[in-house]
Amino acid sequence: MGSCLSADGRSSISYSPTTPSGGGKKKPLKKKPGSRSFDSKRDEQLRRIPGRMFLNGATDIASIFTQQGKKGTNQDAMIVWENFGSRTDTVFCGVFDGHGPYGHMVAKRVRDSLPLKLSAHWEVNIGGAEGSKENISTVGSMNSEETASLCADEEAVPSVDLEEKEKLPEIFLTLKESFLKAFRVMDKELRVHPNIDCFCSGTTAVTLVKQGQDLIIGNIGDSRAILGTRDQDDTLTAVQLTVDLKPNLPGEAERIRKCRGRVFALQDEPEVARVWLPNNDSPGLAMARAFGDFCLKDFGLISVPEISYRRITEKDEFIVLATDGVRARPFLFILFNDFLCSFHFVPNYEILLFTLESA
């Protein structure tokens, strides 16, 4: 649902690397020989992985549901991966809301690749010393362009002081570093992808790893994680676990403006702040963090996730990951609240992935 608009609020953007002033035709993407067959083989291998689910359905602990609206191509993607990283008590979940002309392709690519990268970095970081070496190597191999684009990313990464380290479990500290690395590598891969034009297309990502009672969430964009829990009166209530990373948040807006990007809302939608290029009224992205959207990556848009931790208690009943289409219209929001309130009447899933494209 996250959209890119021109300044009139109605037409799609036309800004591209080959047309700095905004007009003209874009050059066709050059496809590498054999890339399609490689992707097909990879997709087939992913489909065969036990415990990995990405279509409507349910297992003992999770349920996936998506609904197509009248907008056109469904750009949402999602995944539940049980026994993640070959750990029987671990599950990875993610919801990805694509936007732009190729948003559906970006969302699916991130769905397929990000979990693999996260698992790989997690294994490395468990070793400790190896993780530090890789981090140094990765930074040292960046060219000047990448270093400039990542300056904003580094400012956005919250530091962890010694007192916080003593309070938080080791799994969070390890996975936090793994999330940061995986998201960074994922975005770098999209920048050079031969078959997907990510210049004006991208995706959100709300992801989590649940291991036992430990819950670690990595989030960019405006999709959302919600916890269904019992309050003191034993009433089922919804607790928002993530912050919608919109351009009008003070910290996000400050970073964007420092990088010469602009943040403002159109007259016909004053409640929706968008990100714009310095000298061009495009693309009008309605989020401050996203994968892809490289036309804005030098102007304050970042792909650094906000990472949070929660210890699951006996009062917590389920987790919902959802795109903003769920709350895009009042009647959908009401339906979603009703669904939350009646959730304990359906089978006892621990995690629900729920997406609705706009009607």
Side-chain angles (χ1 to χ4, degrees), residues 66-258:
T66 186
Q67 179 175 309
Q68 175 65 46
K70 298 178 181 178
K71 187 172 81 169
T73 302
N74 189 341
Q75 295 187 301
D76 297 335
M78 47 193 176
I79 182 174
V80 171
W81 193 334
E82 298 179 40
N83 303 322
F84 182 64
S86 300
R87 297 173 174 84
T88 56
D89 62 340
T90 304
V91 58
F92 172 89
C93 298
V95 165
F96 313 96
D97 187 358
H99 54 263
Y102 305 100
H104 56 295
M105 299 173 68
V106 182
K108 289 180 180 178
R109 182 68 184 190
V110 174
R111 177 199 68 190
D112 292 343
S113 296
L114 183 63
L116 298 173
K117 299 182 189 308
L118 178 61
S119 179
H121 284 295
W122 191 7
E123 289 298 325
V124 170
N125 288 338
I126 288 175
E130 291 87 349
S132 298
K133 290 178 182 178
E134 180 177 339
N135 189 39
I136 294 172
S137 174
T138 301
V139 174
S141 65
M142 293 178 185
N143 59 34
S144 58
E145 179 183 354
E146 290 172 328
T147 303
S149 65
L150 287 171
C151 67
D153 292 14
E154 293 168 356
E155 292 178 2
V157 178
S159 60
V160 180
D161 56 31
L162 293 177
E163 184 178 351
E164 183 182 356
K165 283 186 176 181
E166 293 177 357
K167 294 179 180 178
L168 293 169
E170 184 64 30
I171 185 175
F172 170 72
L173 300 175
T174 302
L175 267 174
K176 180 177 183 178
E177 184 177 356
S178 303
F179 266 106
L180 292 171
K181 289 180 178 178
F183 274 58
R184 176 179 290 185
V185 172
M186 184 74 251
D187 209 43
K188 289 175 67 178
E189 178 184 291
L190 289 172
R191 182 186 287 271
V192 296
H193 197 284
N195 301 327
I196 305 176
D197 184 352
C198 301
F199 192 71
C200 297
S201 298
T203 186
T204 69
V206 57
T207 60
L208 67 82
V209 171
K210 180 181 179 293
Q211 185 176 76
Q213 301 303 106
D214 295 311
L215 182 69
I216 299 92
I217 301 173
N219 176 54
I220 59 174
D222 57 0
S223 296
R224 187 180 293 183
I226 303 167
L227 177 71
T229 189
R230 297 282 174 178
D231 61 16
Q232 294 179 346
D233 300 324
D234 201 37
T235 300
L236 187 62
T237 60
V239 177
Q240 187 171 332
L241 298 179
T242 56
V243 174
D244 299 341
L245 296 168
K246 298 282 195 176
N248 60 336
L249 293 178
E252 304 296 303
E254 181 182 5
R255 182 191 68 248
I256 292 166
R257 288 173 178 138
K258 278 185 178 179

Side-chain angles (χ1 to χ4, degrees), residues 10-86:
R10 289 176 292 275
S11 60
S12 301
I13 64 171
S14 57
Y15 184 87
S16 75
T18 58
T19 58
S21 60
K25 296 182 179 180
K26 295 177 65 175
K27 293 181 178 179
L29 292 170
K30 294 182 179 179
K31 297 183 179 182
K32 293 181 179 180
S35 60
R36 182 175 296 274
S37 61
F38 174 81
D39 286 345
S40 299
K41 291 178 181 178
R42 185 208 57 179
D43 291 345
E44 183 63 29
Q45 291 174 343
L46 288 174
R47 288 189 180 95
R48 294 178 180 176
I49 296 176
R52 181 182 180 273
M53 180 173 65
F54 58 94
L55 300 175
N56 284 1
T59 66
D60 290 340
I61 69 167
S63 177
I64 286 181
F65 176 76
T66 186
Q67 179 175 309
Q68 175 65 46
K70 298 178 181 178
K71 187 172 81 169
T73 302
N74 189 341
Q75 295 187 301
D76 297 335
M78 47 193 176
I79 182 174
V80 171
W81 193 334
E82 298 179 40
N83 303 322
F84 182 64
S86 300

Side-chain angles (χ1 to χ4, degrees), residues 311-326:
R311 178 76 177 177
I312 300 297
T313 70
E314 60 183 10
K315 290 184 175 293
D316 302 330
E317 294 199 2
F318 59 89
I319 303 157
V320 177
L321 302 185
T323 61
D324 67 339
V326 172

Side-chain angles (χ1 to χ4, degrees), residues 251-319:
E252 304 296 303
E254 181 182 5
R255 182 191 68 248
I256 292 166
R257 288 173 178 138
K258 278 185 178 179
C259 295
R260 300 187 297 116
R262 294 181 296 156
V263 177
F264 64 86
L266 299 172
Q267 291 184 355
D268 58 351
E269 49 173 18
E271 74 286 354
V272 182
R274 297 180 180 275
V275 186
W276 309 85
L277 291 164
N279 303 308
N280 194 305
D281 287 339
S282 65
L285 186 66
M287 62 200 70
R289 306 191 191 193
F291 283 119
D293 297 300
F294 293 108
C295 65
L296 287 170
K297 282 288 162 68
D298 290 332
F299 303 106
L301 183 76
I302 61 175
S303 59
V304 178
E306 288 238 327
I307 303 167
S308 57
Y309 171 82
R310 187 179 182 100
R311 178 76 177 177
I312 300 297
T313 70
E314 60 183 10
K315 290 184 175 293
D316 302 330
E317 294 199 2
F318 59 89
I319 303 157

